[in-house]
Amino acid sequence: MILKENNGQISIEFIFIISFIILLSFVTINLVSNENELNIAMSAARSGINEGILIDSIAIYPKSTFDDYLKNKEFLIHPNYIKFEKIIIRNSEFDSKYNKTRIQLQVYVSSTTVTEKNDQNALGDRINYNLRKSITTSFNTSHLSNALYNPAYSKNYIFTTTNVVWN
Amino acid sequence: MDNKGIFSLDFLLTIMFILIISITIVSLGENNLKIASNMEFSVENRLLIDSVSNSINQVSSQGSGFSKIIKLPPNIQQKSYLITVYKNNITIESDNKKGTSSIFPIQLVDNNDLNIYEKKLYNGETYIIQNLENNKINIREY
């Protein structure tokens, strides 16, 4: 006798589609997560750069920094105009010691007011610091890094920064 | 056939997807939100100190007798602050942050017309800035 049960059954097409989707996602997940990690890192870097530039340009600093600048770099306690231009990957090589890819980032900014080399270095260091900090907090890896977040770690990459280029 | 009180499978799947997507977005955005609120605090400090220095500049450049009333906001993001006026700049201190803004050089005097080095302005207070004569500026509670 053929059982005629119509309720509570999944059609074979449905099972095919689901298993195909699962197979496909297993294959692509590796690729996608790798790309996604780089994407997150770069967007974190950008938001860190923005934060650094904003602190530099509105010149409201932590008290100790302010007092230090007041003594040594008085120019920096006044607001400055700084514009973010681009961020490039300077070097990228595989580091077998950490089993991660090492990426060196370089930021380009332009400013009509900041022209002294020392001032540029002080402001540039803050931009780089915030860049690394942002990447580190995005991947929750502050326990791996030092107080200056140098280098910044993600799952498969190590990020370092080099001096900011001022135009 | 029980049609009441039953969730459809599509509904459950949709809710699951929405949950997954929103958790991802929230964790990504959390860092940005923290940065934004931090920045907002600094920007508000900067705006406040620039507006105070602007008021002092207005009073000192308008000549003797001119006065202006400024009302300081009660706090910046629930944090108190202190503004100090000096001879040629003013500073703001709030939550371990500090900034400065330049003003045209003035001579600060107290209510008895004696020269003073600095004048502290506290949050939430209203002050009157008055140009007594020749850039002698008196700032007192209004």
Side-chain angles (χ1 to χ4, degrees):
Chain A
M1 196 183 107
I2 300 166
L3 280 174
K4 283 239 171 148
E5 180 116 39
N6 289 326
N7 293 332
Q9 302 268 358
I10 309 182
S11 70
I12 189 87
E13 294 96 319
F14 185 69
I15 298 175
F16 279 157
I17 291 171
I18 290 291
S19 49
F20 181 69
I21 289 174
I22 290 174
L23 263 178
L24 202 70
S25 42
F26 269 116
V27 174
T28 52
I29 206 154
N30 231 340
L31 211 80
V32 171
S33 76
N34 214 6
E35 283 299 313
N36 192 34
E37 189 181 333
L38 259 188
N39 278 341
I40 291 174
M42 288 321 262
S43 72
R46 272 168 191 273
S47 76
I49 292 167
N50 275 333
E51 187 186 9
I53 287 181
L54 248 163
I55 297 175
D56 284 347
S57 51
I58 59 180
I60 301 280
Y61 300 116
K63 204 163 175 294
S64 53
T65 315
F66 181 89
D67 292 335
D68 178 45
Y69 283 174
L70 191 62
K71 274 190 218 128
N72 305 319
K73 303 188 180 91
E74 224 205 310
F75 179 76
L76 298 182
I77 61 174
H78 302 293
N80 282 301
Y81 173 76
I82 301 163
K83 188 167 169 275
F84 171 58
E85 285 193 336
K86 64 180 173 183
I87 176 171
I88 59 163
I89 294 177
R90 198 112 197 84
N91 274 314
S92 141
E93 57 184 32
F94 190 75
D95 190 328
S96 51
K97 193 176 142 202
Y98 290 98
N99 203 19
K100 292 175 187 215
T101 308
R102 185 178 279 274
I103 290 178
Q104 190 179 42
L105 299 170
Q106 186 164 39
V107 179
Y108 283 70
V109 297
S110 65
S111 172
T112 47
T113 52
V114 189
T115 47
E116 281 284 318
K117 193 87 191 136
N118 282 339
D119 297 339
Q120 291 180 346
N121 283 342
L123 297 183
D125 283 348
R126 179 169 294 104
I127 295 172
N128 279 337
Y129 167 81
N130 280 292
L131 186 164
R132 296 190 305 263
K133 183 181 167 193
S134 179
I135 291 178
T136 306
T137 45
S138 291
F139 291 102
N140 274 324
T141 52
S142 47
H143 56 284
L144 296 174
S145 206
N146 58 14
L148 289 171
Y149 305 105
N150 196 10
Y153 293 92
S154 75
K155 219 172 127 204
N156 297 309
Y157 298 95
I158 305 174
F159 295 94
T160 54
T161 48
T162 179
N163 280 351
V164 171
V165 178
W166 293 77
N167 294 320
Chain B
M1 275 285 190
D2 206 342
N3 286 327
K4 283 176 183 164
I6 291 188
F7 268 13
S8 76
L9 188 64
D10 313 11
F11 181 71
L12 276 177
L13 276 177
T14 319
I15 290 289
M16 204 178 73
F17 271 121
I18 290 175
L19 272 178
I20 291 173
I21 291 169
S22 50
I23 287 171
T24 324
I25 290 174
V26 165
S27 63
L28 274 180
E30 196 193 357
N31 190 26
N32 277 341
L33 273 177
K34 220 180 281 169
I35 291 176
S37 113
N38 207 356
M39 282 299 96
E40 197 186 340
F41 181 72
S42 296
V43 170
E44 279 182 36
N45 270 293
R46 169 56 60 197
L47 287 177
L48 177 65
I49 196 174
D50 278 353
S51 93
V52 172
S53 78
N54 199 16
S55 301
I56 296 175
N57 279 341
Q58 263 183 36
V59 173
S60 71
S61 59
Q62 287 283 353
S64 33
F66 191 83
S67 70
K68 188 170 179 173
I69 294 164
I70 53 166
K71 184 163 179 9
L72 300 179
N75 53 50
I76 300 174
Q77 289 194 0
Q78 274 74 47
K79 296 200 173 79
S80 64
Y81 58 89
L82 173 70
I83 295 176
T84 316
V85 183
Y86 297 100
K87 206 176 82 177
N88 50 19
N89 64 62
I90 66 177
T91 62
I92 189 167
E93 281 177 65
S94 170
D95 193 36
N96 206 25
K97 291 248 173 91
K98 197 170 176 183
T100 188
S101 179
S102 301
I103 55 174
F104 300 139
I106 55 167
Q107 177 58 58
L108 278 169
V109 291
D110 65 3
N111 296 347
N112 301 319
D113 206 10
L114 296 170
N115 289 354
I116 48 172
Y117 172 66
E118 58 174 35
K119 170 74 184 169
K120 289 190 186 317
L121 312 180
Y122 299 95
N123 47 286
E125 301 277 342
T126 307
Y127 291 92
I128 177 162
I129 310 166
Q130 196 166 17
N131 190 340
L132 299 180
E133 52 177 307
N134 295 333
N135 271 347
K136 265 192 190 173
I137 302 286
N138 171 244
I139 303 174
R140 59 178 185 275
E141 285 81 10
Y142 181 67

